[in-house]
Amino acid sequence: MKKTYPIEVDCANCANLMEEAARKTAGVAAATVNFMTQKMIVEFEDGQDEAKVMKQVKKACKKVEPDCEIEL
């Protein structure tokens, strides 16, 4: 399943780093962060709890950019 989330990210480099962090999160099959549209698209692995996975994605992204926001 794919879902799109509005995000707040300050620069294109941070968006790339957040994308990498999201991709490495358990339960994520694929992730894309678009700096221009301020959106994150996450594709979840089959059978994953979306809420739990996104909590971990948000935690990983906060390590890259502490003031980033992902609307869950």
Side-chain angles (χ1 to χ4, degrees), residues 3 5 17 21-22 34 46 52 58 62-63 66-67 69:
K3 279 201 90 170
Y5 299 91
L17 294 172
N34 187 317
D46 290 337
K52 286 182 182 177
K58 190 171 184 176
K62 290 254 185 210
K63 288 179 182 175
D67 64 341
E69 288 299 324

Side-chain angles (χ1 to χ4, degrees), residues 10-28:
D10 296 334
C11 69
N13 185 52
C14 291
N16 286 336
L17 294 172
M18 289 170 63
E19 186 175 297
E20 276 183 44
R23 285 182 180 159
K24 292 178 182 176
T25 304
V28 174

Side-chain angles (χ1 to χ4, degrees), residues 5-56:
Y5 299 91
I7 64 167
E8 285 183 26
V9 60
D10 296 334
C11 69
N13 185 52
C14 291
N16 286 336
L17 294 172
M18 289 170 63
E19 186 175 297
E20 276 183 44
R23 285 182 180 159
K24 292 178 182 176
T25 304
V28 174
T32 305
V33 176
N34 187 317
F35 171 67
M36 296 302 290
T37 62
Q38 296 284 295
K39 296 204 185 298
M40 174 185 273
I41 300 168
V42 179
E43 184 175 346
F44 300 95
E45 293 174 352
D46 290 337
Q48 293 296 319
D49 181 347
E50 170 195 329
K52 286 182 182 177
V53 173
M54 282 309 296
K55 198 174 195 181
Q56 294 304 313

